[in-house]
Every structure is written in structure tokens, then in C-alpha cells.
Amino acid sequence: MMATIGTPTSRVDGRAKVTGAAKYAAEFTAPDLVYGVVVNSTMPRGRIVSIDTSRALAVAGVIDVLTHKNRVKMAEKDDDYRDDVAPENGAPFRPLYDDKVHFNYQPVALVVAEDEDTARFAATLVAIDYQAESFTTDLQARREQAIKVDKPVKPRGDAVKALAGAAVRHDAEYFIPAEYHNPMELYGATAVWHHGGKLTVYDKTQGVQNVQRYVCSVFGLKSEDVQVISPFVGGAFGSGLRPQYEVALATMAALKLQRSVRVVLSRAQMYGLCYRPATIERLALGAKQDGALAALTHEAIAMTSQHEAFSRNDIGWGDVLYRSETSRATHRLAKLDVPTPGDMRAPGAATGVYALECAMDELAVALKMDPVELRLRCYSDEDQDKGLPFSSKQLKECYRQAANAFGWPKRSPEPRAMRDGSELVGWGMASGVWEALQMPFASRIVLTANGHVEVSSAASDIGTGTYTIVAQVAADMLGVDIADVTVKLGDSTLPQAQVEGGSWTAASISHAIVNAADDIRARLLLIALDMPDSSLKELKRDEVTLVDGAIASIADPGRKIAISDVMRHGGLERIEKERGSDFAEDDKHAHNTHSAIFAEVKVDEELGIIRVTRVVNAVAAGRILNTKTAASQIMGGVVWGIGMALHEEALIDHRFGRIMNANIAEYHVPVNADVHDIKVIFVEEQDAVINRMGIKGVGEIGIVGVAAAIANAVYHATGKRVRDLPITLDKVVS
């Protein structure tokens, strides 16, 4: 048997997904299943004066129309219902709670019918009168009224004074529009009603136990009466960290009608959910003639809703990446009449590092210095805000390997100096950084006498490959073939798990598995030592390992006993152990992943059409559990970075507070023709401090810095600096 950790192992759930055997939230059925279709508001702020449901109720097959007037009882105070990732003093939006309208596309009614087509038709017949109130959805219009929010980023020195006295200065504003997740699977929930009032809820979510707690708190249900299941998720990217309103509506209808109910949102309705907030980023850099930073200031102004103050860390990444004598960072929020924003892949870093890395490129131009050389001269070996060294940081090696693979030394530094026929060629680069987080997870392992292993946890797999790395770690820790491992995930009745996000799941669940496997090994050794003429006599727990279906001495592999013989001697059919991840607190180091991104663009000189023809992304993220699925994560992040740089933008008509391109036809995302050569390099990085396996996680780091590298390449190709995303042809040729 070969060890699988660190190898390019194919997904263990791949066959189920490509054959259709994998079932998603809206594919589970029940004998009495009925269908709910949401009616959304058509104005951004005000009150509902009246709702006329008579025409809808007259349609054959319509069972009920739920509104704020006839819904079941819900929690009245925000403190009575929160979710695990709610902003401070925030709580998930309560659909159909009262007559207030907070944003356009807010759900205001639910039509329930015997079939979905009937419900969809009847929903068009619900007539609603509103009392409109003044509103604004424009971040620029509210920027002066933005409120400051506390962020754990401390000022260092007098950055304003240092900036004024710097030999070379750069000061500019960058803009990132609101972006939407657009996962392939639509948001949907199937609430199955059982006799006695118990519910099984199938929901598209990144955290089944989070949804269970939310549903129970909102509707006053007992935890033992609600089971939430989400075995497979067709993409989420952060949109499923918080419970979305479809699960509340499906549960509400099931409780009221005492029938099983399915609610699936349309693609357009998903634009009324969370999103990456539009953000204004202002960067000012002051440098000495040799490139050393004397000052760094970063101000972010982001949009949020009127009812929640959502924000993430846009402003602290400069202190992590670059050494600067002084720094100052502030974060402000503009409250608008919109849904609450949410986490989207690398929240805060994708936006903040975009602005930072574009500013560093502009500083390099002002200094007439190579962008890589500038970053090396400003390189920081510690998180300056925390005053802590990194547990590991191989960013210099990322620069070296990515630059060599890309061919960076051949770059002509002057803009518009490189051509390929009628196209201008541009080369740009950027740094990437993300947090290396780990959270308390638990796993249960069952080892049977015939050598089969079952691993279970409430953790989710949102398409990142969690099923596979769980199987890999369990197989290697228990000395069995990966084909003999069954993995169960995404069920609220399984051992505790946090939501899947922040790139923390791989490290967190792997250590829970290792700890449970340790306990199984200890139990097997205890039995083995009791066996007559045991070859493992006098060996201790840390002196044996499980390999090839046997418990064996690490120092002398010939001293071994088959696990089946050990369990037979102990009279055991199975051994079951459940353990948590048990991470030790480390307040002496900063924990981060790092990357270096090099991008090539080709720009049609006359038309301004931009193609990203090559990207090299070198990543230092500790021990890589599965080089195949991890590389896919980085590639996916690069593709999203291409979208962020060149395509994605929610267009809001501020006269109506409504998104005009709430569909995938007009909300542009990269397609196959937009994606060319992507090379992923994993830089070897040993980290004995962060955790016993040296795992960091790769879900987020793949997108960070990609948009900046492309934007910098566009400048190099054209000589035109575009600071507001996306970079469209009109901005290049104007």
C-alpha cells in the first residue's frame, strides 16, 4: 500500500458526481412534496401597504400564499437567532417578518402549490402595493457619510509626516464593484415533514450545524427535532456560510402546512442574496530612492446594508507583506439600501491586496525599478502589526520559481515595448497573501475487523475535495487502502464541525482524524501487548504505526501483527473513536499562506480587446495534502481573478436600486475561451509550528493578487493605468 498524502489523488466522489448519483439539496424527494416560489419586492425601501393574494389562491393546485400576515411564529429579537458568521450586532435576514422592505428583490411572499410550474405562474398574480421611502444604493454618493469601523490594525509611527517627506510618493484610489458568487447550483432547500413535527432539511449550505442552529432558533424548535443534511454542494465560494432565506421559507411553509416543501431560487433571485461588497480603496506609499518604504497608508470604504455592519479585513495586508517604517489604516462602511454583503473567496484580501499590489507596481514605475526587485527590497520577515515572525514564509522562493517559470528576465520594462503582431504584450506580477487558519472540528472513525474504515463529520464539501482528503488522511493514518475508506459528511447529526470557509477545513478536519486514529492505534496496541508471544512487547504508543493492515514497530517494521488478528484476540468487531482537532494556542508566530503571480496579457491595439494568455501562480501553503485537487483550487482562483480583473461587475440602476444584469448572460464571467495557459507551482514549505502536519490550506490564496497582476500587465502593455475594475476595452482605448 502506498501513502496517498501529498500525491495527485483523484476525487473519491468524482464518479458519483459525473454519473448523477450525488444528490443535491433540491433533488431529495418526499411522498407529499409541494413547491414554493418566492415573490420578490420591486422597490428598495419602504413598507408593504397591502398584498392581494386572491388571484393566486384561485389557481387550481395552489395550496397557500405565505406573507408577513399569515406566517408561523418567528423569533422577534435579533439576539434570539444568530448564525456562526454573523457580523457584530447582526443576524440573518428574516424573510416575511414584517411589512418593511429593506432592499430590492427582498422576498415578500411565498406561493406554495402542488407543482413548481403552477406556483411560478401563481406568483405572478400576487399584487402588492408599497409605500415607497427615499433610498440610495450608490456607494460613491454615501462615501462622505461612511462610518468608521474598528479593525485590529494599529497605526505605527507618523505615516502622514513620513509620507510628506518621502523621496518618492504614490497616492491613488482604486475601485472594485460589487461581485456575485454565481455558483452553478442554485440555492434551494427541501424541508421534509415527519409525523410528530420533526423535520429533515436538505439545504445548499457550507455549514449544516450552523443552519440547524439557525432554523431551531428562528422557529423555536428543539435541536433533536431538526436534522440538516447537505452531502454535496455545487459551488458556494462563501455564499453558503450564512443561512440564506430559502431554508427559512421552506421550513416556514413545512411547519404551517405540515407537509414537505421545496423552495428553489431562480438565478435572478440569487442576486438578492450576499455578494462581495463594492469597495473604494485609497493607497498612499512613500519610499526612499532605494525603494525602502517610509510610509504606507490604506483606507477602505465598503458598502453594507442598513441593518448589518458587514466588513472584512481589506487594510491589514501591507503590514504582512512589506516592511515599512510607518503605517496607518482605516476602514469605513457606507450603509445603503441593499442586502447585507457576505464573504466571497478571500474576503477582504481579494480587494485590499488588489489595490495594494497595483499601488506597489505604480511605485515601482515611479522608482524606475523592477516590480519584483521592489518587493524584495520591502520584504518583511514579520507581521509588523502583530510584531510576530511568521511560522513559515517562502514568498521569496515563490518570486524566484514563478519568475523563472514565466521568463520574467526577458521583460522589457517600458510600456508598449513588447508586441506580438497587432497585439501589445504586457507582463505584470503581484504578491498574494491569506491567513492560515484552523478551527475546532471533530471526526468519528470506525475501524472494522475486516479492515474497512468509516470516517464521519458534519463538515461540508463545497467542491473543494474534502471527501478526498479525509479519505487520504484516514487511509494513511490507519494503514489501509483508500478504497477501503468510506466518508460521511454534511449531516448535522455527525460530529461537530465549523462552516467550511476561510481555507481552514483541510487542516482542521485532518487533525481531528489524526487524533482519532491515534486513539485507535493506542487501543490496538493495548490489545496486541496482551497477545501471547506478541512481537510488539514493550513498545509504546509512539513507537508503533498502522501500515498495510497491520500494527508494526516504526524502528523495526518486521515486528508486526495483522489488525484483524489483534481485533480477533480482543473479541472486537469494530473500534470506534471520536476526537476533536485540539490545536495548541500559538501567540508567538503569525500564520499565513503566500503566493507570487505573474501574468501575460495581449491587447489588440486598435480594439482594446484584452486576452490573458499566460498566468504562473507559485504558492507556499505548507504541506499539500493532494496536489491534484489543490492545483485545481489554485487554477479556479486564477480563473476567478481573470473575471475580477476583466469581466465581473454588478450594474445597479440607482434610480430604482435594482441590478440590471442579474443573470449570467449579462453579468459577465470568464468562459473557456477566456482562459489560456495556467501553471501552478507549489513551493516546498515546512511548517513545524502551525500544526503537527504542517497544513495551511489553499482555497482562498489562489485568487489573491491575480487581478492586480493582470491590471499591472495591462498597464505594461498599453501604458494606460486603469484603477477601477473591471478593465474593459472602453477604459483601455478612451
Side-chain angles (χ1 to χ4, degrees):
M1 185 202 73
M2 291 181 60
T4 63
I5 291 178
T7 65
T9 305
S10 295
R11 293 173 183 265
V12 298
D13 56 331
R15 180 176 292 275
K17 287 184 173 179
V18 300
T19 59
K23 295 183 73 174
Y24 295 81
E27 295 182 317
F28 291 89
T29 60
D32 62 343
L33 186 66
V34 294
Y35 299 81
V37 168
V38 178
V39 179
N40 301 92
S41 69
T42 56
M43 47 91 74
R45 182 175 179 175
R47 290 182 176 275
I48 299 170
V49 176
S50 65
I51 301 181
D52 183 355
T53 62
S54 58
R55 292 180 63 206
L57 289 169
V59 175
V62 171
I63 300 166
D64 201 352
V65 179
L66 278 65
T67 70
H68 66 279
K69 291 186 174 182
N70 66 350
R71 60 165 173 80
V72 298
K73 184 178 179 181
M74 300 173 72
E76 295 183 3
K77 294 191 243 177
D78 288 354
D79 290 344
D80 293 339
Y81 73 107
R82 290 180 61 82
D83 68 296
D84 292 346
V85 291
E88 187 177 356
N89 301 319
F93 171 73
R94 281 168 290 190
L96 311 191
Y97 179 70
D98 55 25
D99 63 353
K100 295 179 181 178
V101 176
H102 301 278
F103 54 87
N104 224 319
Y105 262 114
Q106 175 180 317
V108 292
L110 181 74
V111 177
V112 184
E114 296 289 350
D115 64 83
E116 188 171 11
D117 288 340
T118 298
R120 198 166 298 283
F121 168 68
T124 66
L125 304 179
V126 176
I128 305 176
D129 287 332
Y130 300 98
Q131 179 183 330
E133 298 176 6
S134 61
F135 67 91
T136 182
T137 54
D138 188 349
L139 173 60
Q140 296 288 356
R142 278 280 175 88
R143 62 182 296 169
E144 298 304 322
Q145 289 78 45
I147 58 173
K148 186 177 179 180
V149 292
D150 291 331
K151 290 292 177 185
V153 181
K154 302 181 293 291
R156 290 186 295 104
D158 190 338
V160 174
K161 182 178 179 181
L163 187 65
V168 179
R169 293 185 296 273
H170 167 70
D171 187 343
E173 192 169 279
Y174 304 85
F175 176 73
I176 305 97
E179 300 170 353
Y180 280 77
H181 302 77
N182 276 309
M184 186 178 296
E185 180 193 6
L186 299 172
Y187 269 88
T190 305
V192 178
W193 171 269
H194 302 290
H195 181 70
K198 293 181 181 291
L199 290 172
T200 301
V201 181
Y202 301 93
D203 186 40
K204 176 189 169 73
T205 177
Q206 292 175 240
V208 288
Q209 291 176 333
N210 186 31
V211 170
Q212 183 208 34
R213 285 188 287 272
Y214 166 70
V215 166
C216 289
S217 62
V218 169
F219 296 106
L221 305 173
K222 297 178 181 178
S223 58
E224 59 267 27
D225 290 341
V226 179
Q227 180 182 12
V228 179
I229 298 174
S230 182
F232 297 99
V233 180
F237 315 113
S239 61
L241 289 174
R242 303 186 70 182
Q244 300 295 357
Y245 66 72
E246 83 290 332
V247 68
L249 291 177
T251 304
M252 180 190 299
L255 291 171
K256 187 171 191 290
L257 301 176
Q258 297 189 9
R259 290 186 65 172
S260 300
V261 180
R262 174 178 297 159
V263 176
V264 180
L265 304 186
S266 68
R267 180 64 60 180
Q269 287 171 331
M270 287 171 61
Y271 283 78
L273 305 181
C274 62
Y275 51 93
R276 194 191 299 283
T279 310
I280 302 164
E281 312 267 355
R282 178 138 199 166
L283 266 293
L285 304 175
K288 301 174 183 179
Q289 287 292 355
D290 64 358
L293 286 177
L296 187 159
T297 70
H298 190 165
E299 179 187 23
I301 306 174
M303 65 189 292
T304 190
S305 68
Q306 295 284 3
H307 51 282
E308 287 188 296
F310 174 90
S311 66
R312 290 294 181 253
N313 177 26
D314 282 59
I315 56 178
W317 305 105
D319 279 345
V320 177
L321 283 172
Y322 304 121
R323 186 176 61 254
S324 176
E325 293 176 358
T326 65
S327 75
R328 187 189 67 176
T330 58
H331 195 110
R332 294 192 291 149
L333 291 177
K335 292 200 165 189
L336 306 176
D337 299 295
V338 294
T340 302
D343 292 305
M344 183 185 280
R345 202 172 199 162
T351 46
V353 174
Y354 157 71
L356 172 67
E357 289 302 287
C358 287
M360 286 292 287
D361 194 73
E362 296 200 56
L363 181 63
V365 171
L367 288 163
K368 295 183 171 55
M369 185 178 295
D370 182 89
V372 178
E373 179 61 26
L374 174 62
R375 286 164 173 80
L376 290 172
R377 293 191 183 192
C378 299
Y379 194 89
S380 180
D381 288 312
E382 69 171 15
D383 181 328
Q384 297 163 99
D385 181 61
K386 297 176 182 176
L388 297 175
F390 296 99
S391 59
S392 58
K393 183 180 181 181
Q394 289 295 318
L395 180 54
K396 286 183 180 178
E397 188 61 15
C398 290
Y399 291 143
R400 189 188 69 81
Q401 292 191 29
N404 288 342
F406 189 81
W408 187 258
K410 298 177 183 178
R411 177 180 183 263
S412 299
E414 291 300 318
R416 302 180 68 90
M418 300 170 65
R419 288 179 170 273
D420 181 7
S422 63
E423 292 181 305
L424 299 167
V425 178
W427 289 5
M429 60 82 55
S431 307
V433 60
W434 182 247
E435 301 167 290
L437 302 169
Q438 42 202 11
M439 295 287 180
F441 275 61
S443 73
R444 181 186 304 123
I445 297 179
V446 177
L447 173 65
T448 61
N450 65 357
H452 186 266
V453 173
E454 179 183 281
V455 189
S456 58
S457 173
S460 298
D461 187 337
I462 61 174
T464 53
T466 305
Y467 277 103
T468 307
I469 61 112
V470 166
Q472 287 180 266
V473 174
D476 284 11
M477 293 301 107
L478 295 168
V480 301
D481 191 275
I482 194 171
D484 293 323
V485 179
T486 299
V487 181
K488 292 184 177 181
L489 301 175
D491 185 329
S492 62
T493 63
L494 298 178
Q496 176 270 334
Q498 301 289 333
V499 294
E500 175 152 0
S503 301
W504 59 58
T505 299
S508 303
I509 196 170
S510 292
H511 284 82
I513 295 167
V514 169
N515 289 340
D518 283 349
D519 288 352
I520 289 177
R521 187 177 74 252
R523 179 76 188 281
L524 289 170
L525 177 61
L526 192 64
I527 299 170
L529 293 174
D530 186 57
M531 296 176 71
D533 303 318
S534 172
S535 61
L536 302 179
K537 288 291 186 185
E538 301 180 358
L539 290 180
K540 296 182 175 57
R541 173 174 174 162
D542 59 355
E543 296 176 328
V544 296
T545 187
L546 303 181
V547 60
D548 293 333
I551 181 169
S553 165
I554 295 174
D556 182 6
R559 295 174 63 184
K560 63 181 180 180
I561 305 173
I563 291 174
S564 57
D565 291 340
V566 175
M567 294 182 71
R568 189 178 303 112
H569 176 77
L572 299 173
E573 288 295 322
R574 53 191 272 150
I575 298 176
E576 179 177 325
K577 295 291 181 181
E578 181 175 327
R579 281 287 301 277
S581 44
D582 301 333
F583 293 111
E585 285 289 329
D586 176 24
D587 57 2
K588 296 181 179 179
H589 299 87
H591 306 136
N592 291 89
T593 55
H594 302 89
S595 63
I597 308 98
F598 289 74
E600 176 185 83
V601 302
K602 293 185 178 180
V603 184
D604 186 294
E605 189 171 15
E606 293 184 354
L607 301 178
I609 297 171
I610 305 167
R611 297 187 300 129
V612 180
T613 47
R614 287 193 300 138
V615 176
V616 175
N617 196 340
V619 178
R623 187 181 190 182
I624 304 301
L625 293 172
N626 186 330
T627 54
K628 187 174 186 177
T629 56
S632 292
Q633 284 297 294
I634 302 302
M635 290 177 68
V638 170
V639 173
W640 201 336
I642 294 171
M644 183 177 178
L646 304 180
H647 300 275
E648 296 195 48
E649 179 181 19
L651 297 169
I652 303 175
D653 188 331
H654 297 300
R655 298 171 301 169
F656 307 105
R658 198 168 182 85
I659 298 173
M660 297 181 289
N661 57 336
N663 54 71
I664 307 185
E666 295 169 296
Y667 179 95
H668 294 167
V669 296
V671 296
N672 287 355
D674 298 307
V675 181
H676 296 270
D677 182 43
I678 300 173
K679 181 177 179 63
V680 177
I681 300 171
F682 287 116
V683 173
E684 185 175 349
E685 184 176 64
Q686 304 292 326
D687 194 326
V689 174
I690 190 166
N691 51 57
R692 71 186 269 192
M693 295 183 74
I695 304 169
K696 286 186 172 181
V698 298
E700 256 89 357
I701 188 64
I703 188 176
V704 183
V706 176
I710 294 169
N712 295 337
V714 171
Y715 167 76
H716 181 239
T718 65
K720 184 74 178 287
R721 183 69 70 173
V722 180
R723 299 190 181 102
D724 58 317
L725 298 182
I727 304 171
T728 49
L729 59 87
D730 57 306
K731 297 174 185 177
V732 172
V733 300
S734 62

